């Protein structure tokens, strides 16, 4: 695969690859969020309208809390047969994030388009639609549809606005700008219901997540601006959320006035630990995650490392304190 670095998204090369392709596989990252599902569905519909044979897949399918997005029932939980002219990965910064579906696609596709907005993207694949300045992957899909001259249907607008709302936390993160709001306004004019999307994503929580928080909150520690919590595998099993995230706990911890960086350590099977990082403006957790084999954004990132929870604490906490010391605490 070509890994040549390109400063600008390769819109024309991507358009030509799609024009040549008949069978296209679309995948997004494991443990998908609203941007992952929104960007995948936001591109799948228009490509089908072009007459393309589209397969959309995410490991284990679309999570229950995102199945309100139109078209989500057509996303397969796995792909293990067939060959494809083109693979398009969405909102995935590295090959590990594309999961089993993406790994199959990499082995059984003639060409790969990598569409992403993470600054830590490893630039795998042949054609890069990578725009770190975009607030969400759906913004890149929106721009690509404009480049292709494709109209945005109400269902496509619904998917794209869902990704925009969730990745900006309701237009509250510091990367939100006037163009973000302009795109949101345009998607609303095309039929996307903003109040309904906000209610379905930002203003809801399952009781199982409340139970998980109840078990995890006693583990919370605050040390010189760093706040962190630990979720054990037995706690996830107890509440039936083995395949879920942390229920937004890492973001909740960052709302503490005395905290500048938050971390949630989540124990996984087979001696692995999934780690989520969040930071207030002026601090950089993307570089922290990158040191540990992960990636993400300056203020929101994550990684998975080998070892026990205790080992993860010993490795990660000193690095997190270093990131705190290097941060200015001031918005750029």
């Amino acid at each position: 695969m070509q890994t040549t670095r390109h400063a600008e998204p390769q819109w024309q090369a991507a358009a030509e690859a799609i024009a040549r392709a008949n069978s296209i596989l679309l995948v997004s990252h494991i443990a998908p969020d609203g941007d992952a599902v929104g960007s995948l569905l936001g591109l799948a519909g228009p490509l089908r309208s072009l007459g393309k044979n589209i397969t959309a897949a995410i490991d284990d399918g679309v999570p229950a809390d995102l199945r309100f997005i139109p078209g989500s029932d057509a996303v397969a939980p796995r792909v293990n047969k067939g060959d494809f002219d083109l693979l398009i990965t969405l909102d995935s910064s590295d090959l590990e994030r594309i999961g089993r579906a993406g790994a199959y696609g990499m082995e059984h596709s003639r060409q790969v388009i990598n569409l992403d907005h993470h600054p830590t993207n490893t630039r795998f694949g042949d054609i890069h639609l990578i725009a770190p300045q975009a607030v969400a992957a759906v913004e890149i899909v929106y721009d690509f549809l404009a480049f292709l001259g494709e109209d945005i249907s109400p269902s496509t607008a619904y998917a794209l606005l869902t990704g925009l709302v969730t990745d900006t936390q309701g237009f509250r993160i510091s990367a939100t700008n006037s163009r973000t709001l302009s795109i949101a306004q345009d998607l609303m004019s095309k039929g996307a219901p903003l109040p309904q999307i906000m209610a379905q994503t930002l203003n809801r929580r399952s009781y199982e997540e409340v139970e998980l928080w109840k078990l995890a909150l006693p583990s919370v520690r605050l040390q010189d601006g760093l706040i962190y919590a630990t979720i054990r595998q037995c706690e996830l099993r107890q509440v039936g959320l083995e395949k879920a995230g942390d229920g937004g706990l890492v973001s909740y911890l960052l709302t503490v006035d005395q905290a500048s960086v938050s971390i949630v350590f989540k124990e996984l099977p087979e001696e692995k630990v999934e780690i989520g990082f969040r930071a207030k403006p002026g601090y950089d957790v993307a570089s922290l995650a990158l040191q540990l084999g992960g990636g993400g954004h300056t203020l929101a990132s994550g990684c998975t490392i080998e070892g026990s929870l205790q080992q993860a604490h010993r490795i990660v906490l000193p690095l997190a304190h270093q990131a705190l010391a290097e941060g200015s605490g001031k918005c750029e």
Side-chain angles (χ1 to χ4, degrees), residues 165-166 169-172 197-205:
V165 165
T166 53
Q169 299 174 28
F171 310 107
R172 291 180 296 172
I197 291 170
M198 297 280 272
Q200 289 279 9
T201 54
L202 303 181
N203 300 326
R204 61 180 295 188
R205 190 174 308 284

Side-chain angles (χ1 to χ4, degrees), residues 240-274:
L241 292 176
E242 295 96 319
K243 293 184 178 180
D246 64 5
L249 181 58
V250 68
S251 296
Y252 174 73
L253 293 179
L254 194 62
T255 64
V256 172
D257 287 340
Q258 297 90 337
S260 298
V261 171
S262 65
I263 305 176
V264 168
F265 297 86
K266 189 178 78 171
E267 184 180 35
L268 301 178
E270 301 177 358
E271 285 281 293
K272 292 183 179 180
V273 180
E274 183 180 284

Side-chain angles (χ1 to χ4, degrees), residues 74-104:
V75 178
R78 65 189 64 83
V79 56
N80 49 25
K81 63 180 181 179
D83 293 304
F84 301 92
D85 298 322
L86 183 65
L87 167 68
I88 304 177
T89 68
L90 298 116
D91 196 34
S92 302
S93 60
D94 56 68
L95 290 173
E96 184 176 339
R97 293 287 285 162
I98 61 178
R100 298 182 302 276
Y104 180 90

Side-chain angles (χ1 to χ4, degrees), residues 97 159 181 207 313:
R97 293 287 285 162
L181 300 179
Y207 182 69
H313 286 171

